[in-house]
Amino acid sequence: MRGGTLRPAAPVGLPPGGLTGRSAEAAAIGRLLGGSRLVTVTGLPGVGKTAVSLAAAARAAADFAGGAVLVRLDALRDETLLPHSILAAVGLPDRFTRSPLEVLVDQLRDRHILLIFDNCEHLLGACAAITSALLQPCAKLQVLATSREPLRVPNESVLPVAPLLLPDAIELFSWRASQRGRQITAADHATVAAICVQLDQLPLAIELAAGQLASASVELTSVQTDLDMLRDPGHAVVRHRSLRAAIGWSHELCTPAERLTWARLSVFTGPFLTGDAQNVCTTSQLPDEAVAVALTLLTERSVLLADTQADGRVHYLLPTTLRAYGRRMLRQLAAEAEFADRHQRWYRSRPVAGR
Ligand SMILES: Nc1ncnc2c1ncn2[C@@H]1O[C@H](COP(=O)(O)OP(=O)(O)OP(=O)(O)O)[C@@H](O)[C@H]1O
Ligand SMILES: [Mg+2]
């Protein structure tokens, strides 16, 4: 290669002790990397996008002569610094007279390398632009991105990661509890299962909940699933200090109409259709069409889960943890009673009982 030496594959950090479950997802990422030059792993806040992607990349790295290089973007706020971050991650000095993008293209042109862009959601446009600008001239380069929202680059393969299966969620909780000297027995499984369901089977939330057991005075039955109690005071285990901060990160990236829709949707406790959402959430400030658009955009941002039925209708679901966040917003808007009442009236007026 010309003009510098690339750092060997950066060691990719996995959760201590490895992953619970996720072998199917890691294998799926590996398969997609076999046929697509850009694979984006999406999913709810704290669902484990980074963890499963790093596990898949660690396995795939051997297939890349230049290995895998991790570019962590969660702390990067200024998109103009993105090329500099990539330069730093691949171990190239940033003191050339040419632009960092030119240097990257020149240095990566002949390299068989996997770049991992981790946490792109706040830099979608910049990540999409640089991915296209690199993939086109660098024929052997591949990109694995993690993002709550797809990059929307042509030929992007998107892999949505779902919450953990319940047995894996219980295993993760039990494992994290045992790291704090607390043994979970078969007799505790129903209690742990209830906690995991309450937390949408999100690994981040489960880790934070199990962390409460570090205090000897906390019994399993008194583990709190309230957003405010799901935090890591020492910031030892996770990137986010709290589940509220992890969800707040998505909230910051939403438009005002999406935030308002999210807040109003928090009165739904189960799946709903577009028409249900419009009947409950529409006001002059937020017309029918704005609600419909917000449903699509909130799904793309991994705030809502969408499930297309055999008849083509889309069932939306606001997961419990994101609903709790929305409910707090609605309370702050002093609109909780109004929309709870509209929700009740809408379902009472319908022939089929709803939620
Ligand atoms: N399958 C798993 N087994 C064990 N720990 C996991 C698993 N998945 C995720 N974790 C842990 O849960 C926490 C959240 O995971 P991760 O950071 O990968 O989520 P994320 O989806 O990337 O979050 P964000 O949306 O904030 O980027 C991390 O501490 C991670 O180590
Ligand atoms: Mg992540």
Side-chain angles (χ1 to χ4, degrees):
M1 69 174 287
R2 289 158 288 168
T5 317
L6 283 186
R7 183 182 294 169
V12 284
L14 294 173
L19 288 193
T20 307
R22 296 303 195 205
S23 49
E25 290 87 344
I29 295 170
R31 268 196 309 278
L32 288 173
L33 284 172
S36 177
R37 295 185 61 215
L38 168 62
V39 176
T40 304
V41 176
T42 62
L44 297 177
V47 77
K49 299 176 289 297
T50 296
V52 72
S53 299
L54 295 186
R59 267 190 238 167
D63 299 332
F64 289 80
V69 175
L70 176 60
V71 189
R72 286 195 187 277
L73 299 175
D74 56 337
L76 183 69
R77 292 295 178 274
D78 180 352
E79 64 176 33
T80 62
L81 297 180
L82 178 57
H84 302 268
S85 298
I86 302 172
L87 273 181
V90 297
L92 290 168
D94 193 357
R95 51 181 148 77
F96 293 81
T97 47
R98 290 170 301 157
S99 79
L101 180 60
E102 282 171 344
V103 177
L104 277 172
V105 168
D106 185 42
Q107 297 292 327
L108 298 179
R109 193 182 297 280
D110 302 319
R111 307 291 298 194
H112 188 208
I113 203 166
L114 177 65
L115 284 182
I116 307 157
F117 292 161
D118 187 34
N119 278 98
C120 300
E121 54 275 326
H122 56 304
L123 303 168
L124 283 179
C127 286
I130 203 156
T131 299
S132 301
L134 290 175
L135 287 181
Q136 207 270 328
C138 306
K140 291 190 274 182
L141 178 71
Q142 285 188 241
V143 173
L144 173 59
T146 80
S147 178
R148 295 188 187 172
E149 190 171 349
L151 303 190
R152 294 190 197 82
V153 166
N155 302 320
E156 176 182 28
S157 292
V158 178
L159 184 83
V161 171
L164 288 176
L165 298 173
L166 189 53
D168 291 336
I170 294 171
E171 190 185 320
L172 178 58
F173 186 96
S174 307
W175 176 29
R176 293 289 191 241
S178 73
Q179 287 175 325
R180 292 171 173 88
R182 308 285 286 268
Q183 295 315 313
I184 302 294
T185 66
D188 298 323
H189 275 194
T191 308
V192 175
I195 293 170
C196 292
V197 168
Q198 195 64 32
L199 299 175
D200 300 313
Q201 288 143 241
L202 292 175
L204 172 64
I206 290 169
E207 284 194 331
L208 294 171
Q212 294 170 25
L213 295 173
S215 160
S217 61
V218 175
E219 295 297 326
L220 181 63
T221 47
S222 51
V223 166
Q224 303 286 314
T225 54
D226 185 88
L227 280 192
D228 288 318
M229 298 304 292
L230 295 165
R231 54 174 191 252
D232 178 12
H235 205 180
V237 189
V238 293
R239 182 168 77 82
H240 295 290
R241 255 160 304 158
S242 67
L243 189 65
R244 182 177 295 290
I247 298 174
W249 179 236
S250 281
H251 183 250
E252 271 181 48
L253 301 175
C254 286
T255 63
E258 289 162 23
R259 290 178 191 174
L260 197 55
T261 309
W262 178 351
R264 292 178 181 181
L265 290 175
S266 70
V267 297
F268 287 88
T269 55
F272 54 87
L273 301 169
T274 303
D276 301 322
Q278 287 171 321
N279 271 286
V280 174
C281 301
T282 293
T283 54
S284 55
Q285 188 189 7
L286 193 70
D288 264 350
E289 186 50 29
V291 172
V293 169
L295 292 181
T296 306
L297 295 178
L298 288 170
T299 305
E300 288 180 5
R301 291 195 198 278
S302 303
V303 171
L304 287 175
L305 295 174
D307 189 15
T308 306
Q309 307 292 296
D311 62 7
R313 296 200 300 178
V314 180
H315 281 188
Y316 292 99
L317 181 73
L318 184 60
T320 309
T321 49
L322 291 133
R323 191 187 329 137
Y325 193 98
R327 200 65 186 227
R328 162 81 76 97
M329 284 191 267
L330 199 58
R331 206 168 301 139
Q332 283 169 353
L333 295 168
E336 205 179 9
E338 176 190 350
F339 287 93
D341 185 52
R342 281 183 60 166
H343 175 262
Q344 269 199 2
R345 274 188 285 127
W346 168 241
Y347 280 106
R348 264 200 238 114
S349 72
R350 299 179 69 203
V352 184
R355 282 152 287 193

